[in-house]
Each structure stands twice: as structure tokens, then as C-alpha cells.
Amino acid sequence: MSSDVRFTDFKSDKQPTWCPGCGDFGTMNGMMKALAETGNDPDNTFIVAGIGCSGKIGTYMHSYALHGVHGRALPVGIGVKMANPDLEVMVSGGDGDGYSIGAGHFIHAVRRNVDMSYVVMDNRIYGLTKGQASPTSREDFETSTSPDGPNQPPVNPKALALASGATFIAQSFSSNAQRHAEIVQKAVEHDGFGFVNVYSPCVTFNDVDTYDYFRDAIVDLDETDHDPSDRDQAKDKILESEKEYMGVLYQDEDSVPFEEREGVEGSMAEIPDGAPEGAMDLVREFY
Amino acid sequence: MPEDLNWAIGGEAGDGIDSTGKIFAQALSRAGRHVFTSKDFASRIRGGYTAYKVRTSVDRVESVVDRLDILIALTERTIHENEDELHEDSVIIYDGERSTMQDVEVPGDATALEVPLKRLAEDAGGAIMLNVVALGAACEVTGFPIENLDESLEKRFGDKGEAIVENNKEAARKGQDYVQEEYGEFDYDMETTDEDYVLLNGDEAIGMGAIAAGCRFYAGYPITPATDVMEYMTGRVDQFGGKVVQAEDELSAINMALGAARAGARAMTATSGPGIDLMTETFGLVATSETPLVICDVMRSGPSTGMPTKQEQGDLNMTLYGGHGEIPRFVVAPTTVSECFWKTVEAFNLAEKYQTPVFLVSDLAMAVTEQTFSPETFDMDEVEIDRGKVVDENDIDAWLDEKGRFQAHFAAADGISPRAFPGTTDGAHMTTGLEHDELGRRTEDTDIRIEQVDKRQRKVETAREQEDFDYREFGDPDADTLVISWGSNEGALREGLTLLEEDGYDIRFLSVPYIFPRPDLTEEIEAAEDVIVVECNATGQFADVIEHDVLERVQRINKYNGVRFKADELATEIKQTLDTPAEATQ
């Protein structure tokens, strides 16, 4: 790990195909800054992504990366981290990837509390399939597959996380570069599962949850007296449906990551050249 | 009692049938006798009918047969379930004092011994030991030295304290004494030897093989009959620096294993049919990201949830063809419990050498069969590890492009690219399920697409050249009749062949552990007059691929009632097939 890593070292030479103005540019920049600020470099970093606009992130960043199947990025990240806790693992996804097809994995990743960060680009729409309702779309948001709106309330991912025993819940806004990078950095530094829901507007298909909307609506928790160590305060803020918050909503400072509790020590990549020493004892057990 | 003895205990699930059977099987194994066990069980936790059967002989036994010499019946149904296997020298032990057993009618000429199992157990310290009383009675009837049973009781109950062990030994003696007093001495001596055997089942052999092969990460979701693999690994792989994670579902399990494999660990997941369905989504990702992964399918009766506790070999097509698009892969199917160990080791080597998914296909019959082996069968010094083309800081330069980027999907002539574990300096690279270039970057370029598809497929060709995808051969090499089988049927067929030989049938038998790539059987088939493929499924999935290979119709013996093949049954079926003109069976 070199000390002179800059965030641009995490950039690949591939030009993003995101639409001009897409929130995902800012989200990604913040991820790269957070990784560099926390002393990581591309060779010790593993980025996992699923499918969709968010899934392209591994291509635009430079690190070890895997772009998998829709909704399954979290289990891949867990496997990477369990097999080599020395790696910095960051998982990225979208609202469809994380809260629809991958909702089951999300809950279990939260409660498993493996030491990694999960950055979700939440634009409240399906972008890459050209504008259908997502699990975080508003109840009355008209789309090609919901002409009268989805007619069901949106998923509240932060509430899901809190109910599942999250040790770190934050929300961020891709357009506020400095704050966004700080928040992701806190998630990376957290000892456990650092979950950040990022408002990352879709400029092409979502004309409701726009930059202007978020700029007006968002309240920075740093400008309030919010105490992120207080779970009750976090719960109240998370359940306030009319408010959009930015910052760390909840953090359990005593969090101990799963792999540590499970006693995983170092990389599993190194194995002996033949059966391990003492392997015959495995056979003798069957006498 | 015959030298080749078939023993069973049956009752309701929850009666301790399994542990009692295991105590007896272990006692026999420790007394230097060969053992082959099988289980009849239903998909329920308590109640229903369940049985644990033990076949034992001083000679090796490879199969179950349709004959029961001694039966401990804890319920009346146990007797009826096994009626067809009883004969005039069979002995049934049951508790005639129990209300449900008072009017038991013993079928045929079998001898029934009423032993007040429960009352004697209470005398020895607790009704719970009634099964052990029955074991003691069985020792008397079979002439098995009760001292050997003592050792097994010590092993089973040692953790619970000396008093419990002593009570159990006492309970066994009460059973033995009762039979002696009431029915006179049974004048048998069951032979014991000084041989040291170990007793284990196919799932345990897979788990043991995985740890021996350096598997350090296992993710799975419990499912019959694959759960024993996970239970075996749990606690044991930790001792070697590994971990088992119980995932929330099979989709998660295979993706976790994939992640661990990308991080450089040897990783595995195991499941059964319904779980394989869920995992199918990720097969293509494993293959196209060129991640080494062992995916174990312990088959049971399908489709859908089918018969969860019954035997079938119906997933072969799934492992051969499962997943959309075209997926280079290996399908390896061990043919015996000990092969479960060795083929697992091989599966890990194949996975890493060729950076592909390797399907390790076993089945319920193998998973629940415990069999005796000399410990040297699993000689750990013989385990070889081949991690393939792993590069590190010292040799990675050779694989960087002109801009210093690592070519993780370099289109090598043999189809095999270098691997750099995450953490390797200058190795950072992208991997994706999308079609990609040599750097792993997504592409839709038609030439690169063809280059990468060809590159991945070349691995299979390379493996065909480098590996020995052979078969095991038994019987008469010059016989006109050729029988071919895969998976766990080998034992029953080998014994069946012996029976056929006695009747004057000469047969050449090939047991094939490699489904894909598989040995070319054209010459063998062309040299034979009759070709019969035996498998536990309805349609003959392996027969299909063989016919496809040689463009020759083969005759088929298929079984799909949920029960494994038996030696004498197979002998009869083969005779019938040979006596029927080939055209009539098609």
C-alpha cells in the first residue's frame, strides 16, 4: 500500500457511457476519493457490482473488480472479504439491484456485518432498461410500466437496514462532492457493513427526483443536533417519510465485523502444496 | 447366520434408528469386518418409517441386496416394510410386551424373538436404552462378540460420562442374556479380523477431499442429501484456516463461493437438484469470468421437490447443459464412496488449472452409504495440488500489455490465461459476466467476441489432451455384452456381474466417472454385440450422450422409483435385457 495514492489512480482509461449529467459520476468520484483517503490502492481494493447503470462502475474504476449478475453483488463481496480480510471490499449497486432483486441479500448482508462498504446509487427509476418504476419510486410516479404510478409505497432501505441490525447507515447526495466523499469514507472506515444510500439523480428518465428536488429537500445532519450513536434518534429520522437527510444516520461504534467474530485470520489464498499437515487425522476420525 | 450378513433396525423417525444403526456398523468396522450401510427414510423429522441397514462380511461388500437375515423391529410396520426380504432363516427381534406389538404376525418362516426391550432397558437404568438392549440381543443371535459392541458404545456415549457408558453396556448384556435364557444359545461365531477400517459416507468423503485439496471457503444452504457435506466441513475446515458460511439461499451461496474463489481461495458449494436450479444463474458468470469453482450436486429424486429422501441420477442434463449460452465446464461423477474423496481433489485441480466451473456430481445413495475402507485408501501423501497459472509480483510483468495493464483474459493458445490473486501488485483488473476483451473490459466487438469464446472453449480441448478422462473396467474384457454405468451404481453392478457369471453370462463392465469431457467409447461399443447403459433415471440421460457420441442405439436399464439399484435385481434385469431382442426395447 503506497502512501502517495491519489484518487485518480482508481480511474480506468475507459470513458463512462453514463448520460451526461448522470448522478453516478459524482457517486463514483466520491468512492474513489474515499478509497484513496483511507490509504487504499487499486491492488488491494476489490470492487463488486451487479447489473444496471451502477453495475458499470467496475469498468470505469481501476482496481480488482467483479461485475456479476443482477442483485448478487453483496454475496460476492462477502465471499471476497471472508477469503481475504486484508482486501478493501466495496460493493456498489443501484436501487433495483439492491432493493428489488437483491433485497433478500441486502437484509442478510446487513445482519452479517462483514467489514465492507455498500454504496447504492439510488435514482428511483430503472435507467438502463429505459424508465420503469424501481422499488424506491414514488407511489404516484408515472412510468412506462406504471402509467398511473406503481400504486404501492416505496421501499425504505434505511429502515430495512435498521430493522436488520445495521451497524452503519448513511445517506448521501452525489452532487455534493465534498460531503459525499466524506460520508463514503466514514462507511469505509467503519468496522463492519457500511451502508450508504446515495441520491444519484437520473437526468434522462426521472423528472421528479431531480437535482433541484434533492438540493431543496435535503437536510445535512451535520447542521442538526443528530447523534448517530443514538439508535432511537436514527429510527425517528429514518421513518420521517417527508424528509431527505444527508450524513451518518446511525453508527454502532462497538461493531465487530462478522469475519472477526468468526475468527478468520488472513488470506485463504495460500494453501500447502499437498494435503495440509495433520490431514490423516481427518481419516482417523472415522475409525 | 450367513457370513455375508444383512442386518437392519427399523422404526419411526425419532426412535434413534440412525444412531443405533451407526453404533452397530462402527462396532463391526472396528472388529475388522467390512460394512456397507443404507438408509430408508422419509422426508419428516418424527414418525413415519425409517430403517438403517447394514450389510457386513469379512470380504468387501459393495452393494445392498434383497435379503435380510436379522431385523430389529421397533414398530410392526418395520416388519411389513421388509417382508419381501425376509427368508426362512431370518430372525426378527421385537418387543412383544409393547401394546402396539402384541399381535404381531411374523411373515413366512422367519423366526420371531420376543424380547422385552423396554423393560430390560428400564432395569439397566432407562427406557431410552431399549435400542441397545436390542443390539445386545442381536449380538447373541449373530454371534458378534459383545465386547466389540462395548467399544462402539464407549465411542458413542463417552462424552456423557462413565455411568451412561456402563448403563449402556449393561443394557446390551441384558438383551444378550435374555435371548440366551429364553431361546437357548445361538451357536454362531461371527468372524472378526485385525484389520483397521474407517467407516464413512460419500458426503463425508467429499468434505474430507475438499479440505485435503485445500478448499478453505464453503458457502451453502442446507438441503437433503447434500447437507452432510456442509456439516462435515463446519468446524473442520476452520482448523485449517478456512470457513463455512451458511448463506441465505443458494443464489447467495454460489456467489459467495465465487467471490472467495476470485480472492484466491479454493472454494466450493454443494447442493441438491432444487438448489442447483437456483444456482444456474451464476454458472455462466463463473465460466465467463474464468473463476475456478467446484459446484457439487448430490442428486435426489426430481423434478421440483420430487422425493427429497429418495435416490435418482436425474440431474445429469442439468449439470451438462444448465445455464443459458454456452458454458465450458467439467462434469465429474465419482463412482464409489472413496472416489468421492479422490474426485473432489481432482475437481479442485481441474477448476484451477482450467479456470472453469467443475460440477462434482454425486447422489443420495452414495451420500447416505457408509462404507469401510482401509485408511490408506485416503493416503493424504498422495494428494497433489495444481493451482494452474497463478502469477505473482515476480512474473506478472510477462502478462502486462504495453500500457502496463494485466491481461487476465489473455487469449493463450491453450485457452488458459494467467491468474493474479487480488493484492498482487500491478494485477488489478476487471472481471465481468459481459463479453470482454483480454483486459476484462466489456466489449461487443465481433472479432474479440469470437476470440474470447474460442479461447474459453479451447480449455476443454486442452484438458482432453492433458488429462486422462478414463473409465474403470470390470468383468470379462472380451465379452460380447458391454454394460456401461456412471455414478454410484458401480458397486451393485460389480456384484451383479458376479451373480451373472455364476449363471454363465460373460459381461464387460465400464464404470465412467467423467461425464464431460468423457472417454470416447466408440471402440468399446463397436466391439460389443449388446450394449446396456444402467442409470437411476427414467429417460437414460447418459445413454443419450453415449448414443450421440457413437451414433449407435444402446439398450437401457433405468430405475426411477426412488430406490437405488441392488445387485441381484440388476443381474435379473440384465438377463432379461439380453434375452429380449434389441429392437423390442426401443
Side-chain angles (χ1 to χ4, degrees):
Chain A
M1 207 181 298
S2 51
S3 55
D4 56 353
V5 172
R6 294 184 310 156
F7 90 93
T8 47
D9 292 338
F10 283 96
K11 220 177 171 83
S12 80
D13 52 10
K14 198 92 170 166
Q15 284 306 307
T17 57
W18 289 322
C19 305
C22 174
D24 293 353
F25 287 99
T27 307
M28 181 173 72
N29 285 337
M31 290 164 66
M32 294 192 293
K33 274 193 185 123
L35 286 166
E37 285 294 319
T38 46
N40 291 290
D41 67 36
D43 287 331
N44 83 324
T45 303
F46 203 110
I47 306 277
V48 191
I51 288 179
C53 293
S54 64
K56 296 178 174 181
I57 197 150
T59 313
Y60 309 144
M61 287 177 67
H62 174 61
S63 71
Y64 285 91
L66 187 124
H67 170 226
V69 290
H70 202 195
R72 322 280 170 228
L74 283 169
V76 174
I78 290 167
V80 171
K81 187 70 181 183
M82 292 294 287
N84 188 354
D86 301 333
L87 297 173
E88 185 63 49
V89 177
M90 185 178 271
V91 178
S92 183
D95 37 315
D97 189 82
Y99 311 142
S100 203
I101 190 164
H105 303 312
F106 174 57
I107 292 168
H108 294 281
V110 166
R111 60 186 272 264
R112 208 169 270 125
N113 200 36
V114 169
D115 186 16
M116 55 200 242
S117 46
Y118 182 40
V119 181
V120 180
M121 306 178 187
D122 183 3
N123 57 14
R124 301 180 172 177
I125 186 109
Y126 284 168
L128 205 55
T129 48
K130 304 193 172 168
Q132 299 80 29
S134 97
T136 51
S137 293
R138 292 163 190 250
E139 200 164 349
D140 57 357
F141 183 53
E142 295 169 13
T143 74
S144 63
T145 51
S146 58
D148 302 316
N151 201 21
Q152 53 193 311
V155 163
N156 182 337
K158 291 141 304 195
L160 260 183
L162 193 76
S164 306
T167 59
F168 184 98
I169 305 170
Q171 188 153 263
S172 166
F173 178 32
S174 68
S175 166
N176 196 330
Q178 183 58 29
R179 276 294 279 145
H180 167 60
E182 275 171 30
I183 292 164
V184 177
Q185 186 177 335
K186 282 181 183 162
V188 173
E189 285 167 346
H190 176 67
D191 290 329
F193 189 76
F195 166 52
V196 189
N197 190 69
V198 187
Y199 292 135
S200 186
C202 174
V203 293
T204 306
F205 294 108
N206 195 328
D207 54 6
V208 179
D209 297 300
T210 59
Y211 284 102
D212 284 345
Y213 162 74
F214 284 116
R215 253 182 228 116
D216 288 345
I218 213 152
V219 175
D220 191 337
L221 289 168
D222 274 7
E223 288 158 18
T224 70
D225 58 359
H226 180 68
D227 174 6
S229 70
D230 186 334
R231 203 165 179 269
D232 287 330
Q233 279 192 37
K235 182 192 72 184
D236 290 344
K237 294 219 162 41
I238 284 169
L239 293 178
E240 271 183 68
S241 54
E242 299 303 310
K243 286 268 178 60
E244 314 283 8
Y245 287 105
M246 176 166 66
V248 179
L249 284 148
Y250 178 66
Q251 181 166 22
D252 176 1
E253 298 283 359
D254 299 324
S255 159
V256 181
F258 181 73
E259 67 276 21
E260 209 173 305
R261 283 185 279 135
E262 286 285 296
V264 176
E265 291 168 359
S267 170
M268 296 176 187
E270 293 302 317
I271 57 165
D273 208 17
E277 209 174 311
M280 258 339 261
D281 289 345
L282 294 171
V283 183
R284 288 187 197 102
E285 262 189 69
F286 290 105
Y287 269 124
Chain B
M1 285 282 130
E3 261 312 300
D4 180 349
L5 181 87
N6 287 277
W7 175 100
I9 181 167
E12 289 195 356
D15 280 346
I17 303 297
D18 255 23
S19 52
T20 312
K22 183 89 184 247
I23 287 168
F24 192 56
Q26 272 177 338
L28 290 160
S29 162
R30 289 157 81 98
R33 291 182 64 86
H34 275 295
V35 169
F36 188 98
T37 76
S38 59
K39 292 178 192 174
D40 287 343
F41 59 119
S43 185
R44 57 193 286 179
I45 294 169
R46 296 194 71 90
Y49 166 71
T50 180
Y52 188 107
K53 295 186 172 177
V54 178
R55 184 176 174 200
T56 177
S57 168
V58 172
D59 301 322
R60 245 194 112 60
V61 277
E62 300 279 1
S63 162
V64 288
V65 288
D66 273 331
R67 196 188 79 234
L68 205 48
D69 305 304
I70 175 162
L71 173 66
I72 297 170
L74 299 185
T75 56
E76 189 175 354
R77 183 174 168 191
T78 304
I79 297 172
H80 299 310
E81 290 279 352
N82 294 282
E83 206 171 319
D84 294 346
E85 298 187 4
L86 294 169
H87 53 90
E88 59 180 18
D89 295 326
S90 298
V91 173
I92 301 168
I93 295 170
Y94 73 100
D95 188 345
E97 287 184 7
R98 299 183 80 174
S99 57
T100 52
M101 298 287 278
Q102 276 169 4
D103 303 316
V104 164
E105 281 180 30
V106 174
D109 304 323
T111 306
L113 304 185
E114 281 186 50
V115 183
L117 303 173
K118 189 164 176 233
R119 178 157 57 81
L120 293 173
E122 282 165 350
D123 291 348
I128 195 166
M129 295 184 293
L130 69 90
N131 296 0
V132 178
V133 175
L135 288 179
C139 283
E140 177 57 30
V141 174
T142 58
F144 182 67
I146 202 158
E147 299 73 31
N148 288 101
L149 181 66
D150 288 346
E151 279 182 39
S152 200
L153 292 170
E154 281 163 18
K155 181 170 174 166
R156 179 74 175 82
F157 298 111
D159 294 347
K160 297 189 174 174
E162 206 170 313
I164 303 272
V165 173
E166 288 309 312
N167 284 354
N168 275 283
K169 288 183 185 174
E170 171 74 10
R173 292 215 168 30
K174 282 191 183 297
Q176 183 181 42
D177 293 348
Y178 187 90
V179 171
Q180 267 184 24
E181 285 159 21
E182 295 295 321
Y183 299 101
E185 286 203 26
F186 280 75
D187 228 1
Y188 299 115
D189 278 321
M190 203 196 284
E191 194 182 338
T192 60
T193 76
D194 293 332
E195 297 293 329
D196 279 327
Y197 293 132
V198 290
L199 182 71
L200 67 164
N201 70 29
D203 276 0
E204 290 166 336
I206 288 171
M208 192 166 79
I211 294 177
C215 174
R216 294 293 174 266
F217 186 82
Y218 178 99
Y221 189 78
I223 183 169
T224 302
T227 312
D228 275 359
V229 178
M230 188 170 177
E231 288 183 344
Y232 177 84
M233 302 275 298
T234 303
R236 289 187 182 81
V237 74
D238 304 49
Q239 296 161 22
F240 299 93
K243 203 78 226 166
V244 170
V245 174
Q246 181 174 322
E248 58 272 22
D249 55 37
E250 287 85 350
L251 297 151
S252 177
I254 190 171
N255 278 283
M256 276 188 201
L258 165 80
R262 286 297 327 165
R266 284 195 154 190
M268 175 169 86
T269 184
T271 186
S272 190
I276 280 288
D277 288 350
L278 295 175
M279 290 182 179
T280 311
E281 178 191 60
T282 302
F283 293 173
L285 176 62
V286 176
T288 198
S289 68
E290 307 197 66
T291 306
L293 194 62
V294 178
I295 302 158
C296 174
D297 179 14
V298 188
M299 298 175 289
R300 63 188 217 184
S301 298
S304 193
T305 23
M307 298 195 288
T309 61
K310 303 299 172 191
Q311 161 73 348
E312 196 164 284
Q313 299 174 306
D315 300 353
L316 185 138
N317 285 342
M318 182 64 170
T319 52
L320 259 178
Y321 307 117
H324 71 276
E326 294 169 308
I327 299 171
R329 67 184 89 198
F330 296 94
V331 184
V332 180
T335 54
T336 63
V337 170
S338 60
E339 282 289 289
C340 284
F341 176 87
W342 290 107
K343 290 289 177 261
T344 303
V345 173
E346 191 177 341
F348 278 99
N349 286 335
L350 286 173
E352 287 205 318
K353 278 170 80 175
Y354 300 99
Q355 302 169 29
T356 55
V358 177
F359 293 91
L360 183 68
V361 184
S362 174
D363 57 50
L364 180 134
M366 200 128 62
V368 300
T369 291
E370 282 146 325
Q371 212 178 345
T372 34
F373 297 94
S374 68
E376 297 76 43
T377 311
F378 308 101
D379 183 358
M380 294 290 177
D381 289 339
E382 295 288 313
V383 171
E384 288 176 11
I385 307 288
D386 188 341
R387 306 213 66 183
K389 275 193 205 166
V390 176
V391 300
D392 60 20
E393 277 80 356
N394 303 316
D395 52 3
I396 198 165
D397 285 355
W399 301 99
L400 305 180
D401 72 359
E402 70 286 353
K403 288 185 179 171
R405 300 172 300 192
F406 181 60
Q407 301 172 95
H409 300 279
F410 182 76
D414 59 1
I416 304 160
S417 322
R419 287 178 81 202
F421 297 154
T424 306
T425 305
D426 295 333
H429 67 274
M430 171 73 187
T431 307
T432 170
L434 291 164
E435 192 54 87
H436 46 258
D437 62 15
E438 290 183 306
L439 297 173
R441 302 179 312 180
R442 145 191 203 193
T443 184
E444 290 175 3
D445 180 292
T446 49
D447 293 338
I448 297 176
R449 157 74 178 174
I450 287 168
E451 182 183 66
Q452 287 290 319
V453 171
D454 289 349
K455 169 231 180 314
R456 292 191 294 266
Q457 291 299 341
R458 278 205 299 280
K459 297 175 185 189
V460 176
E461 296 315 313
T462 303
R464 280 196 173 106
E465 287 160 19
Q466 293 186 353
E467 309 293 328
D468 192 13
F469 297 118
D470 210 348
Y471 50 75
R472 292 145 72 89
E473 177 159 9
F474 305 95
D476 174 4
D478 300 319
D480 289 336
T481 302
L482 179 66
V483 174
I484 302 169
S485 174
W486 64 283
S488 69
N489 316 313
E490 180 183 305
L493 267 164
R494 283 178 62 185
E495 285 209 23
L497 254 52
T498 311
L499 299 175
L500 285 162
E501 268 170 25
E502 288 164 10
D503 288 349
Y505 288 86
D506 292 328
I507 288 169
R508 181 185 189 194
F509 167 41
L510 311 182
S511 182
V512 185
Y514 299 100
I515 309 298
F516 189 84
R518 59 187 161 270
D520 180 353
L521 300 176
T522 310
E523 261 181 52
E524 291 81 350
I525 286 173
E526 282 174 355
E529 273 176 30
D530 293 287
V531 183
I532 305 170
V533 176
V534 174
E535 51 194 315
C536 272
N537 56 46
T539 56
Q541 297 179 24
F542 194 55
D544 282 342
V545 296
I546 287 177
E547 280 180 347
H548 181 267
D549 287 350
V550 301
L551 296 175
E552 173 127 358
R553 295 288 290 181
V554 303
Q555 299 186 74
R556 303 169 185 217
I557 292 174
N558 301 97
K559 184 172 185 181
Y560 44 97
N561 61 354
V563 182
R564 66 190 302 157
F565 284 113
K566 292 175 182 170
D568 35 8
E569 166 199 43
L570 270 173
T572 308
E573 291 252 3
I574 289 173
K575 272 190 226 171
Q576 278 173 4
T577 308
L578 291 176
D579 295 344
T580 311
E583 304 77 48
T585 64
Q586 290 177 14

